[in-house]
């Protein structure tokens, strides 16, 4: 069966068929789930994102809704795809609605961020502590309800080099970047952090400039960039597994 999994890579001019090379940060996985074989595309996307969790998933279709088999796969693999329904006259792989769908997703919860980090580094024992750090950053809890800062630092003692306040700062910076509109000053003011601080945090944690970050939608790749920059995970292999390699044949 011909693959219907595509990649939309920076600078997002056009989708192309997914190959075997590892996707660069900022890539969006795009699965054509229209008609027969749609569930296979969902499976293929789920397996790819398991290997490349920094890539958000968009399912494109001309149908009014996903079939039940596809919905089952989504729950089984714990992916949270954006779904774009195209009209009959629209180009199915038009980059604009795909990018818009990623930008319009709800911002990740502290739990989702914590699960991303702990799964990537194999430290599920730190989920509660990191969830609290991210919650403080997004909700500006300071030393309010929840684990104390000293307790968080103690639990993260062997998870250096970043400390509890670094993870909180990262979450707040991410919240600013994901505010609708894309304007740094009003978004940062809304969340009580200065634009200069946002820019410095982006540079510190990802090594990128604000302009580079704003051009790439999504949050997964930003967290991944921070994990790579601070040596929590390697940059990665040069080839990504395919669903045929995983299952040993056709689905």
């Amino acid at each position: 069966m011909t693959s219907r999994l595509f990649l939309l890579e920076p600078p997002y001019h056009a989708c192309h068929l997914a190959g075997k090379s590892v996707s660069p940060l900022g890539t969006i996985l795009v699965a054509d789930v229209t008609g027969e074989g749609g569930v296979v595309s969902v499976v293929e996307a789920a397996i790819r994102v398991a290997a490349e969790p920094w890539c958000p998933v968009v399912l494109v279709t001309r149908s009014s809704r996903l079939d039940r088999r596809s919905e089952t796969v989504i729950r089984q693999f714990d992916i949270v795809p954006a779904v774009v329904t195209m009209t009959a006259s629209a180009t199915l792989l038009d980059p604009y609605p795909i990018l818009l769908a990623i930008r319009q997703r709800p911002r990740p919860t502290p739990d989702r961020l914590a699960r991303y980090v702990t799964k990537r580094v194999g430290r599920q024992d730190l989920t509660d502590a990191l969830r609290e750090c991210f919650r403080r950053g997004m909700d500006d809890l300071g030393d309010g309800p929840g684990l104390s800062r000293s307790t968080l630092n103690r639990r993260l003692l062997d998870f250096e080099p970043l400390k509890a306040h670094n993870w909180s700062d990262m979450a707040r910076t991410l919240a600013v970047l994901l505010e609708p509109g894309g304007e740094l000053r009003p978004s940062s003011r809304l969340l009580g952090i200065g634009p200069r601080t946002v820019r410095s945090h982006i540079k510190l944690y990802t090594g990128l400039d604000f302009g580079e970050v704003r051009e790439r939608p999504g949050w997964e790749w930003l967290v991944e960039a921070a994990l790579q920059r601070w040596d929590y995970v390697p940059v990665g292999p040069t080839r990504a597994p395919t669903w045929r390699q995983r299952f040993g044949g056709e689905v």
Side-chain angles (χ1 to χ4, degrees):
M1 181 178 292
T2 303
S3 172
R4 294 193 294 179
L5 182 66
F6 301 84
L7 304 181
L8 182 57
E9 299 176 349
Y12 308 118
H13 293 320
C15 297
H16 63 85
L17 276 172
K20 296 181 180 180
S21 298
V22 170
S23 306
L25 299 185
T27 299
I28 300 169
L29 298 180
V30 184
D32 173 8
V33 298
T34 298
E36 290 296 323
V39 66
V40 176
S41 298
V42 177
V43 170
E44 191 175 2
I47 292 172
R48 182 82 180 215
V49 81
E52 300 176 345
W54 56 88
C55 299
V57 179
V58 175
L59 308 180
V60 292
T61 178
R62 298 196 192 280
S63 306
S64 58
R65 57 167 296 168
L66 299 177
D67 64 39
R68 292 182 179 179
R69 293 182 303 165
S70 294
E71 292 176 345
T72 299
V73 171
I74 290 169
R75 289 192 299 270
Q76 178 182 347
F77 282 84
D78 190 30
I79 60 175
V80 187
V83 180
V84 176
T85 302
M86 298 289 192
T87 63
S89 60
T91 301
L92 196 63
L93 298 178
D94 180 4
Y96 178 77
I98 293 169
L99 293 168
L100 185 63
I102 293 299
R103 293 190 187 279
Q104 290 183 336
R105 293 183 304 168
R107 77 183 188 186
T109 63
D111 181 66
R112 195 79 190 176
L113 291 173
R115 286 163 57 195
Y116 184 100
V117 173
T118 56
K119 187 174 182 179
R120 282 292 287 143
V121 301
R123 290 294 305 270
Q124 279 79 1
D125 58 304
L126 298 178
T127 299
D128 290 344
L130 285 173
R131 182 192 299 118
E132 181 69 10
C133 291
F134 292 139
R135 190 166 71 98
R136 286 168 179 262
M138 288 185 156
D139 298 340
D140 192 22
L141 293 179
D143 290 319
L147 300 174
S148 68
R149 189 171 297 278
S150 60
T151 299
L152 289 174
N153 283 326
R154 195 161 54 247
R155 291 191 180 183
L156 297 173
L157 191 61
D158 68 339
F159 199 54
E160 295 182 338
L162 298 180
K163 301 183 182 300
H165 75 273
N166 296 124
W167 296 107
S168 295
D169 289 345
M170 195 184 303
R172 182 170 300 184
T173 302
L174 189 60
V176 171
L177 293 171
L178 296 177
E179 274 293 304
E183 296 296 329
L184 176 58
R185 190 170 298 278
S187 297
S188 60
R189 186 183 301 117
L190 183 65
L191 294 169
I193 180 172
R196 183 176 298 179
T197 301
V198 172
R199 293 179 183 275
S200 66
H201 281 175
I202 292 170
K203 193 69 175 180
L204 173 65
Y205 296 123
T206 70
L208 301 171
D209 294 325
F210 175 76
E212 297 176 88
V213 169
R214 291 303 294 177
E215 292 175 356
R216 303 184 185 188
W219 59 269
E220 294 91 341
W221 76 271
L222 276 167
V223 177
E224 183 71 20
L227 293 178
Q228 291 184 12
R229 178 171 172 78
W230 293 89
D231 295 325
Y232 285 98
V233 296
V235 173
T238 58
R239 293 169 68 86
T242 66
W243 61 287
R244 290 182 178 82
Q245 291 170 334
R246 176 74 175 271
F247 287 103
E250 300 287 353
V251 174

